[in-house]
Amino acid sequence: VSLLTGILFGLVPALQSSHSDPSQALRDGARGNLAGRHRLRDSLVVVEVALALVLLIGAGLLLQSFARLGQVNPGFRTEGLLTARVDAPDGAYPKARDVANFYSQLLPRLRAIPGVKSASTVVPLLLSTSNITTSFDLEQNPKAEGDQDSAPLRVAATDYFPTMGIPVLRGRSFAETDTLETNPVMLVNERFAQKYFPGQDAIGKRVKPGWSVDSAGPKMREIIGVVGNVRHRALNADFTPEMYLPLAQVPFGIAFLAIRADLADPTVLTSAIRAELAAVDRSIPLGQVRGYDEILSRSLARSRFNATLLTIFASVALLLTAIGIYGVMAYSVAQRTSEIGLRMALGAEGNAISRLIVGEGMKLVALSLALGLAGSLVLTRAIGTLLYGVDAWDPLTFVSLALLLGGVAFLACWIPARRAARVDPIIALRGN
C-alpha cells in the first residue's frame, strides 16, 4: 500500500505537468495555470489534518481509559502474591476424599516455607479469563428447573480470603472444620447478598448451587459469610454476584495456588514450593508460576496495545501534518514571491505579509478541524466498548487536542510566513 501510494501521488503531478500547454501557461501566468493544483493540494492538506485530529482524539481517549484502568481497585491485593497451577490427576486421585487429602497435606507444608505468610488454593484464578458459572436455587424462593438464576462459582481452600486480601464483611471464612462430613456451607460476595437478599441478613440463608464433583449431587448450603466484591473477569468489568464453595467439601483436582509472601519478588520461592509439592506427590508438576503483578499486567495487555498503537499512529500523523502544512505553505510562498515583492514595494509591511500567509493557511486548518471533530464523533462511537471511565465524547479531550493540532498547524504556517516577510522586494521583482 505504501509503495502504491508513493507511485500514485508521484504520477498525478507528473501527468498534470506532461499535459500542460506551454503557450497557455506563458499567456495566463503561473497563478491561473496552477489554480487547479492549488485546489488539489489544499484538499489533501484538509484531509490530512482532519484524519490527524481523528487519530489524536482516539489515542487521547484510549490513553485516558488505560490510565484509569490502572487505577482501578480489583478488590484484592497483588503485591507479594504468587500463583501456580497444580493438577491432581484423576487416575491417582479418583475420589473426592483423595483430592481433599492431597490438598490438606500440601497447604500446611507451603505455609511452613520461610517467607510465606499464608497459602491457599482457588479455581478459577482471578483475572485469568477463566470462569465457572452454575445455576442455583434459593431455599426461600425456589424456581422451576430452567428458570433458575446463575452466577459465577469459585472453589477455594481455607485462608483464601486473607491470602488474597479480600475482606470478610460479615460472618466467617472457611475453616478446617468444614469437611465432607460436616454441614455444607458457602460464602457469597456482597453483590450476591444485595441482589438476592435485599434488606436481609444473608448469613444463615440457604442456597443450592448446581455444582457437584461426586455422585451425591448438588447440596443445599448455608451461607456462613459475606465477602467483598472483586473484579474477576477483567478490571473494566462490573462486580457480579458470586458464590464460593470450600475445597474440602467440593474437592476439585485442578487448582491454582495462591501464596502471599513477605518478599518483594515472591517468585524466588518457586524452588521451595516445587520441593514441597514433590514431597507430597513427585508425579505432579508445578505449572504457570507467576507473580500476580504479571497477571494484572497481562489483564491490561489489550488496553495497553490499543492505546499504544493508536498513539503511535496519531504521533506519526501529527508529524506528517506539520511537515505537510509547512511544505504546502513554503511552496505557496515560493510561487508567490513576485506577488509578495510587489505588495512590499507598494508599502505592505512584513507583519501584514505574515498575517496574510498565516491567515490563508489557518483557513484551511479551521475547515480541517471542523471535519476532524465531526469524524471523531463517529470514531468514538466505534471505540466506545474499548473505553473505561471516560466519556466517548469527552469535551476536554476534543477541545484540547484540537487546540494542540491547531497550534502545530499555526507553527507550520508561521515559519514560511516569516520567511515571506523578509523577502527583498527589489530582488523579488528583478527575479520576476
Side-chain angles (χ1 to χ4, degrees):
V1 170
S2 299
L3 179 62
L4 292 176
T5 301
I7 294 173
L8 175 63
F9 282 87
L11 283 176
V12 169
L15 291 173
Q16 286 181 336
S17 298
S18 65
H19 289 84
S20 62
D21 184 354
S23 61
Q24 184 69 27
L26 291 173
R27 282 197 305 270
D28 297 341
R31 180 180 300 179
N33 190 46
L34 294 174
R37 299 185 198 178
H38 289 168
R39 286 193 294 270
L40 176 61
R41 190 169 59 241
D42 292 348
S43 298
L44 291 175
V45 169
V46 168
V47 172
E48 183 180 26
V49 176
L51 290 177
L53 181 58
V54 170
L55 288 172
L56 278 172
I57 289 177
L61 291 173
L62 286 176
L63 283 174
Q64 289 185 70
S65 177
F66 176 69
R68 295 184 184 187
L69 269 178
Q71 299 171 356
V72 169
N73 179 10
F76 60 96
R77 295 184 294 109
T78 61
E79 64 276 5
L81 195 58
L82 178 72
T83 70
R85 175 171 169 154
V86 173
D87 188 351
D90 294 340
Y93 300 89
K95 298 180 180 180
R97 188 176 301 279
D98 298 329
V99 176
N101 290 337
F102 166 74
Y103 285 110
S104 67
Q105 295 178 57
L106 176 62
L107 290 176
R109 300 181 73 97
L110 297 179
R111 293 164 184 156
I113 295 176
V116 172
K117 298 174 66 175
S118 60
S120 187
T121 66
V122 68
V123 63
L125 190 65
L126 287 170
L127 298 179
S128 65
T129 71
S130 298
N131 200 29
I132 297 175
T133 301
T134 184
S135 59
F136 63 89
D137 227 349
L138 303 178
E139 183 181 47
Q140 65 184 37
N141 186 26
K143 295 182 179 180
E145 187 173 352
D147 295 333
Q148 299 168 326
D149 291 339
S150 61
L153 178 75
R154 322 286 174 227
V155 179
T158 57
D159 283 353
Y160 171 70
F161 299 103
T163 298
M164 297 298 295
I166 302 173
V168 178
L169 304 177
R170 296 185 295 280
R172 67 173 178 88
S173 182
F174 298 135
E176 299 292 346
T177 54
D178 297 318
T179 66
L180 286 169
E181 290 78 21
T182 60
N183 179 45
V185 297
M186 64 182 295
L187 280 82
V188 298
N189 70 344
E190 190 173 20
R191 182 59 58 85
F192 189 102
Q194 291 171 344
K195 180 175 182 178
Y196 295 104
F197 305 105
Q200 307 174 54
D201 187 0
I203 305 299
K205 297 294 190 296
R206 287 163 58 85
V207 179
K208 185 179 182 180
W211 177 269
S212 175
V213 294
D214 55 32
S215 58
K219 301 178 177 65
M220 190 67 72
R221 296 179 173 274
E222 180 184 350
I223 297 176
I224 60 172
V226 177
V227 300
N229 299 318
V230 296
R231 301 183 189 273
H232 179 85
R233 297 298 298 273
L235 290 177
N236 59 352
D238 196 10
F239 297 127
T240 59
E242 295 179 350
M243 302 178 289
Y244 295 87
L245 306 186
L247 176 69
Q249 293 186 348
V250 190
F252 199 62
I254 299 173
F256 287 90
L257 301 177
I259 299 174
R260 172 78 60 183
D262 194 15
L263 301 168
D265 181 13
T267 58
V268 300
L269 297 174
T270 302
S271 296
I273 296 170
R274 186 171 283 115
E276 295 300 334
L277 175 60
V280 178
D281 189 332
R282 190 174 298 276
S283 67
I284 298 179
L286 187 71
Q288 302 180 22
V289 181
R290 300 188 188 100
Y292 229 100
D293 286 334
E294 179 184 349
I295 296 175
L296 186 63
S297 177
R298 289 189 179 191
S299 72
L300 294 170
R302 181 181 178 184
S303 298
R304 184 187 301 109
F305 175 79
N306 291 334
T308 301
L309 189 64
L310 201 56
T311 299
I312 293 173
F313 287 163
S315 300
V316 172
L318 183 62
L319 176 62
L320 292 178
T321 296
I323 295 173
I325 294 175
Y326 172 80
V328 167
M329 298 308 298
Y331 181 73
S332 176
V333 168
Q335 291 291 309
R336 299 172 62 183
T337 300
S338 299
E339 175 195 340
I340 294 171
L342 181 59
R343 288 176 180 271
M344 297 185 72
L346 294 175
E349 297 182 354
N351 289 337
I353 298 297
S354 295
R355 287 194 297 270
L356 174 67
I357 302 299
V358 171
E360 291 179 355
M362 292 308 292
K363 287 179 182 178
L364 294 178
V365 173
L367 175 60
S368 304
L369 295 180
L371 293 175
L373 289 172
S376 298
L377 292 175
V378 176
L379 169 74
T380 52
R381 293 185 65 179
I383 66 172
T385 57
L386 302 177
L387 301 178
Y388 176 81
V390 57
D391 190 350
W393 296 339
D394 180 45
L396 180 60
T397 300
F398 276 62
V399 173
S400 60
L401 291 177
L403 290 176
L404 170 64
L405 185 57
V408 171
F410 175 82
L411 186 62
C413 293
W414 180 79
I415 295 175
R418 290 294 298 168
R419 186 177 301 163
R422 295 192 179 99
V423 169
D424 187 331
I426 296 177
I427 297 176
L429 292 172
R430 184 182 301 160
N432 189 46

